[in-house]
Amino acid sequence: MKNILLTLCLLLPGFIFSQINVPALSPSASVSQQVGLADINIQYSRPALRGRKIMGSSLVPFGKLWRTGANKLPSITISKDILIEGHPLPAGSYGIATIPNVSTWTIVLSSNANQFGIFDYKESEDKLRFSVPSNKLVTKEEYFTMGFMDMTETSASVFIKWENTLVKFKITHNPHKDILAEIKEKTSAPVVKSDTYFSAAEYYYDKNLDLAQALIWADKVVAEDKQYWTYNLRGKIAAKLGQCEMASKDAKEGLVLAKKANDQAYIIFLNDILKTCKAK
C-alpha cells in the first residue's frame, strides 16, 4: 500500500504539470461602459451554439432559472447608484441570473456576485427582479454575447443575445444633482482655478441654467486667459442672454486668434455667434 501511495505521489505532480493548454469551450469575456458618470463592468463566459438548439430546449428550458451563459454567473459591477429599468440599485457587484420565456425574460440580480452556476443560488440573496421583452434576431448569434447599446448621455441598455434571441435592460445614471453640488463646492472654494470657472460656465450654458451666473464665471475666465476658446465661451453665453454688443466683440476678437491658429472648428463657432446676434 505504501508503495502504491508513493508511486501516486511521484506521478501526480508530473501529470498535473503535463496538461496541455487548449482554447476554452466557453471563453471568458468582459465589457465596460461609462453611463452618465457611473462605470459599468460586466464579466461573463461565452458558450457557442455548436449546432445545438438552445432556447426552450433541455439546455435552457423556458420558465427555469438559468445561469445566463456558462460557468460563473455573469457579474455586473457598478461604481455609482443607478436605475435599472426604473428600479434603484446601489453601487456594488451583482450576479446576473435569468428566467427565459418565449416572449419575456425575468432578470435576477443577486447580491452574490461570485456564484458558479446556480447550484448555490438563494432567492433570499436577490437584490432585484424585473421582466423585459424577448426579441427575435434576424441573424443567428453563434456565441453568447453581452454588451451595451442604445447609448445616450445618461443611459444605455445592457443586451444579452444568443441563437435567435435578444433581450436588453436599461441602465440610467443622471449625474445632474451631483454636478451642481460639485460646481457649488468648487466655485465657492478660497482659490478657484480658471478651468473650474470654464467648466461651470459651460455646463450652465449647455443646460440653460442661470446664464447670468454663467456669464460672471466666463468673465473671470477671459480676464485670466484671453484665448479664442475663452472668447467663444463668454460670447455664446452673452448671445444667449441677448447681450449682443459683448457677444459680437468677443466673437470678432476670438476670430482673429482662431484664424491665426487655423482652428476651423472655432472659426465656425465664433461666426455662429455673429450670425445669432445679426438675426436678433
Side-chain angles (χ1 to χ4, degrees):
M1 184 67 177
K2 288 182 179 179
N3 290 335
I4 293 172
L5 291 174
L6 179 61
T7 301
L8 286 173
C9 288
L10 291 172
L11 291 176
L12 189 57
F15 172 74
I16 291 172
F17 289 113
S18 66
Q19 291 184 57
I20 297 173
N21 291 320
V22 296
L25 289 176
S26 301
S28 59
S30 65
V31 60
S32 298
Q33 181 63 56
Q34 187 177 66
V35 179
L37 292 179
D39 295 320
I40 315 293
N41 176 263
I42 297 173
Q43 297 188 8
Y44 67 105
S45 295
R46 303 192 65 191
L49 293 176
R50 301 199 304 276
R52 300 174 296 174
K53 167 67 178 170
I54 301 295
M55 298 301 165
S57 72
S58 59
L59 291 173
V60 183
F62 289 139
K64 301 287 186 181
L65 189 72
W66 179 40
R67 62 181 168 183
T68 315
N71 304 324
K72 281 178 80 273
L73 262 64
S75 65
I76 182 168
T77 301
I78 303 158
S79 66
K80 295 180 179 292
D81 297 353
I82 61 167
L83 295 177
I84 291 191
E85 288 292 318
H87 306 284
L89 184 71
S93 295
Y94 304 92
I96 304 174
T98 52
I99 304 174
N101 278 294
V102 177
S103 58
T104 62
W105 281 32
T106 298
I107 310 296
V108 180
L109 298 184
S110 171
S111 57
N112 184 350
N114 296 302
Q115 300 181 59
F116 189 90
I118 53 173
F119 306 108
D120 297 323
Y121 167 78
K122 297 181 180 65
E123 190 172 341
S124 61
E125 294 178 332
D126 285 3
K127 189 68 178 178
L128 188 61
R129 275 190 180 221
F130 55 91
S131 294
V132 292
S134 173
N135 302 286
K136 291 289 185 182
L137 289 172
V138 175
T139 304
K140 185 175 287 187
E141 191 78 15
E142 174 67 20
Y143 278 89
F144 178 88
T145 305
M146 299 182 72
F148 296 89
M149 62 190 300
D150 304 333
M151 291 292 303
T152 74
E153 185 180 359
T154 58
S155 68
S157 291
V158 174
F159 70 78
I160 300 169
K161 59 181 179 178
W162 198 21
E163 199 175 24
N164 296 116
T165 299
L166 166 70
V167 296
K168 59 183 180 178
F169 54 89
K170 186 176 182 180
I171 288 178
T172 305
H173 181 255
N174 190 339
H176 181 63
K177 289 183 179 179
D178 294 338
I179 293 171
L180 290 182
E182 185 177 0
I183 288 173
K184 183 178 180 180
E185 177 188 355
K186 289 187 174 180
T187 57
S188 301
V191 178
V192 183
K193 293 182 178 179
S194 178
D195 288 349
T196 298
Y197 285 132
F198 191 105
S199 297
E202 186 82 70
Y203 190 77
Y204 269 43
Y205 172 83
D206 288 341
K207 299 301 180 183
N208 203 30
L209 299 176
D210 185 347
L211 294 177
Q213 178 61 69
L215 189 60
I216 292 171
W217 290 328
D219 280 338
K220 294 178 184 293
V221 173
V222 174
E224 185 170 325
D225 194 13
K226 292 177 173 59
Q227 303 287 346
Y228 56 86
W229 55 86
T230 63
Y231 282 123
N232 177 72
L233 173 70
R234 187 171 69 178
K236 68 183 181 181
I237 295 170
K240 207 170 188 179
L241 282 167
Q243 298 183 24
C244 280
E245 185 178 347
M246 176 188 290
S248 297
K249 184 174 182 295
D250 279 350
K252 289 173 183 177
E253 293 193 30
L255 273 170
V256 173
L257 299 173
K259 287 176 180 178
K260 186 176 180 180
N262 196 29
D263 193 324
Q264 295 301 316
Y266 270 93
I267 290 171
I268 293 171
F269 296 156
L270 290 157
N271 274 316
D272 284 344
I273 294 172
L274 293 174
K275 289 175 185 176
T276 298
C277 283
K278 189 175 181 180
K280 288 187 176 182

